[in-house]
Amino acid sequence: MPKILIVGGGYAGFYTAWKLEKHLRKHEADVTMVDPLPYMTYQPFLPEVAAGSIEARHVVVAHRRHLKRTNVVTAKVTGINHANKVATITPPVGEPYELEYDQIVVTAGAVSRTFPIPGIADNAIGLKTIEEAVAVRDKLMSNFDKAASLPAGPERDRLLTTVVVGGGFAGIEVFAELRSLASSLLSKYPPLRFEDTHFHLIEAMGRIMPEVSLKTSEWVLKDLAKRGANVHLDTQVQGAVDGNVAISTGEVIPTDLIVWTAGVMANPTVVRGGDLPVEERGRIQTRADLRVGTAEEFVEGAWAAGDVSAVPDLSGGGVGGYCVPNAQHAVRQAKLLAKNLVAVIRGEGTKDYFHKNLGAVAGLGLYNGVFQSGDLALKGFVAWIAHRGYHGLAMPTWERKWRVLWDWWNNLWLGRDIVNLQAIQNPRYVFEEFAARPRPAADAAAAAPAKPAAAKPAATPAAKPAAAEPTDDKTEKAAPAKKPAAKKPATTKASAK
């Protein structure tokens, strides 16, 4: 059987494996998927996880539960030698090893793209993983707990200030969702007022959300302003040392929570660790039929899709002529890639990827959203319904759809769950604090001669000069000193009689 290796288990990787199981006949090919995480994350729901609207586990899809005929390997691909069709697999435990393949599908996704700005690497957090979304949520609520016990002043202001960097869809959604969460928390914290909370979004361009019309983006700005949020356009972050965000306007914003959503880049570990062709922006050069290569020629046995690839956008709507890195393209490319790969195995022809973007939808907190399709723009509650409807249907597997719908239904009647579980990031702190430990060796050695030393006061004063005498004399003088001590019990008994 031909061996198919899928590198990455995100949108594109999971859907490729999922659809290959559907299209391949039994024993027609051996499929292996390698990813360091055992699940796929539905990233459009990360802002709602950060706002406490959806349970974190419900927006991830377990690979092993839904991939029945795929060999799932939880490890990293740290090298691709396509000339010899061998990949280097680095597991979390054990030594790296080589895995041979006949067809490779590179779907390693993207990571947060940052710049060498002082303090960002040490103080900011991204929004690409479920772990980051949970950390953002717990950090915000933990800061409310701390601020509620402090008097008004700079330290309380710092704890109640949130800064989001990046005005794209991800940045605007998490910014609006966190603003909505903070407003709902105020009723549970009587010492805090709405005016005490501060939210700043920093965007280097002159507008936000380039995926929607300028008129729609301006409406979003006005809506955010009504909710007490500050948006800084044409502004760059120049530093974030010790949480003090310095921006190009000269202002410094002290904060304890910085969320970085200013762009993504193709997974560098996979791209740089292989010999597949890479285009100028660091993505794997990919044809319209999703084979690696150019329009003139392709690399035999190599495929790519999703954020790690540069796929031509035949609809003419892409940036620079390529598909933009989003979930819509990743899922659709993966479905076509699976069909084309099966066709090649069977000696059939391939089809080119074509998808015209039908619109964009974003959630802006509870009961508020925005939807854009051509000249049609929906705002407010109707757009929020469209947002949840679209992503609820797009969530892979019915098992996961029902879990997300159940979260929404419960929150409708019960409200947000505001339990703060930041301590879960250090789950052993209570056990460690009270756990009994063996006495260190140094302390044990020091304690060993303590018992003989306690008998020294019973020695006669004549024993003191003996310390300066030879060892033999000291021994002789120490002997008589023990006799009176031995007689003491007899004397005591006689007195008692």
Side-chain angles (χ1 to χ4, degrees):
M1 291 188 296
K3 297 178 180 179
I4 301 173
L5 173 62
I6 302 174
V7 181
Y11 288 118
F14 174 80
Y15 269 93
T16 299
W18 205 23
K19 295 305 176 182
L20 281 175
E21 291 189 352
K22 177 181 178 181
H23 300 309
L24 286 170
R25 304 186 189 102
K26 192 174 183 180
H27 303 306
E28 190 174 9
D30 179 34
V31 181
T32 299
M33 185 179 75
V34 181
D35 191 276
L37 296 175
Y39 51 78
M40 183 214 92
T41 302
Y42 190 73
Q43 293 179 353
F45 278 151
L46 292 183
E48 288 201 53
V49 172
S53 297
I54 303 178
E55 164 63 33
R57 292 174 302 163
H58 296 169
V59 303
V60 298
V61 182
H63 291 153
R64 298 179 187 274
R65 175 165 185 168
H66 297 282
L67 298 177
K68 308 297 186 183
R69 293 189 289 126
T70 300
N71 178 29
V72 177
V73 178
T74 304
K76 292 182 179 180
V77 174
T78 53
I80 298 174
N81 182 357
H82 191 68
N84 296 314
K85 291 193 175 180
V86 172
T88 302
I89 312 298
T90 303
V93 179
E95 296 297 322
Y97 61 93
E98 292 187 341
L99 181 67
E100 296 181 352
Y101 61 82
D102 298 298
Q103 303 278 342
I104 189 169
V105 179
V106 184
T107 53
V111 298
S112 296
R113 181 192 63 185
T114 58
F115 307 100
I117 300 172
I120 287 295
D122 300 321
N123 298 303
I125 185 170
L127 197 71
K128 290 290 293 178
T129 68
I130 190 66
E131 294 84 1
E132 289 175 325
V134 172
V136 168
R137 172 180 179 270
D138 288 342
K139 183 71 170 178
L140 180 77
M141 291 193 293
S142 178
N143 285 351
F144 265 70
D145 290 332
K146 296 174 184 176
S149 62
L150 293 175
E155 180 59 19
R156 191 171 81 167
D157 288 342
R158 185 181 70 85
L159 290 170
L160 296 177
T161 299
T162 299
V163 174
V164 176
V165 184
F169 254 60
I172 291 296
E173 284 192 295
V174 72
F175 184 66
E177 290 284 0
L178 292 178
R179 172 70 272 184
S180 178
L181 171 61
S183 298
S184 69
L185 289 175
L186 290 171
S187 62
K188 310 297 189 298
Y189 294 86
L192 305 180
R193 301 175 301 165
F194 180 85
E195 295 76 16
D196 296 328
T197 60
H198 313 283
F199 281 77
H200 297 268
L201 184 135
I202 301 169
E203 169 54 45
M205 297 175 59
R207 59 164 296 182
I208 60 171
M209 304 175 74
E211 298 89 347
V212 303
S213 68
L214 181 60
K215 184 177 179 180
T216 302
S217 70
E218 290 174 347
W219 178 87
V220 174
L221 287 175
K222 292 178 182 178
D223 182 73
L224 291 173
K226 290 178 184 177
R227 294 155 64 183
N230 303 285
V231 179
H232 307 262
L233 299 178
D234 291 315
T235 306
Q236 296 84 37
V237 175
Q238 297 180 331
V241 178
D242 297 329
N244 295 308
V245 180
I247 56 180
S248 55
T249 59
E251 185 179 358
V252 177
I253 307 171
T255 178
D256 197 47
L257 178 57
I258 306 170
V259 183
W260 182 274
T261 63
V264 297
M265 64 178 181
N267 190 320
T269 302
V270 174
V271 173
R272 298 170 187 169
D275 56 357
L276 297 175
V278 178
E279 49 93 58
E280 58 185 8
R281 296 191 62 184
R283 298 172 296 181
I284 294 177
Q285 186 70 56
T286 311
R287 291 157 42 101
D289 64 356
L290 303 174
R291 298 194 212 198
V292 174
T294 63
E296 294 74 26
E297 59 180 348
F298 62 87
V299 179
E300 181 66 40
W303 307 75
D307 296 355
V308 78
S309 63
V311 179
D313 190 343
L314 301 183
S315 71
V319 178
Y322 295 103
C323 296
V324 296
N326 63 22
Q328 288 187 43
H329 284 303
V331 171
R332 288 173 172 82
Q333 288 169 8
K335 292 178 179 180
L336 179 63
L337 192 157
K339 290 181 179 179
N340 282 347
L341 181 50
V342 172
V344 167
I345 290 175
R346 296 173 182 172
E348 301 170 1
T350 61
K351 295 181 180 180
D352 288 346
Y353 174 74
F354 179 89
H355 172 67
K356 185 173 178 60
N357 190 8
L358 300 179
V361 61
L364 302 176
L366 280 180
Y367 314 121
N368 196 14
V370 62
F371 170 82
Q372 181 84 48
S373 179
D375 295 331
L376 174 64
L378 302 177
K379 303 157 189 171
F381 181 75
V382 176
W384 179 76
I385 293 294
H387 163 75
R388 286 203 161 179
Y390 172 79
H391 287 296
L393 291 173
M395 183 72 187
T397 81
W398 279 103
E399 178 253 338
R400 247 37 194 171
K401 284 180 172 66
W402 281 115
R403 292 183 187 273
V404 171
L405 289 172
W406 187 245
D407 287 339
W408 287 338
W409 176 257
N410 286 335
N411 285 350
L412 178 63
W413 304 105
L414 304 176
R416 299 177 195 261
D417 189 343
I418 63 167
V419 175
N420 173 17
L421 294 178
Q422 189 176 29
I424 203 171
Q425 297 172 38
N426 182 22
R428 297 184 66 252
Y429 79 98
V430 174
F431 183 83
E432 289 179 338
E433 182 178 354
F434 298 103
R437 292 176 171 82
R439 183 176 294 180
D443 293 347
K451 290 182 179 179
K456 283 185 179 180
T460 59
K464 290 184 179 179
E469 296 178 10
T471 305
D472 294 339
D473 294 337
K474 187 196 301 184
T475 306
E476 291 174 1
K477 292 190 177 184
K482 291 181 180 179
K483 291 180 181 179
K487 291 179 181 179
K488 273 189 177 180
T491 308
T492 305
K493 288 180 182 178
S495 302
K497 287 179 181 178

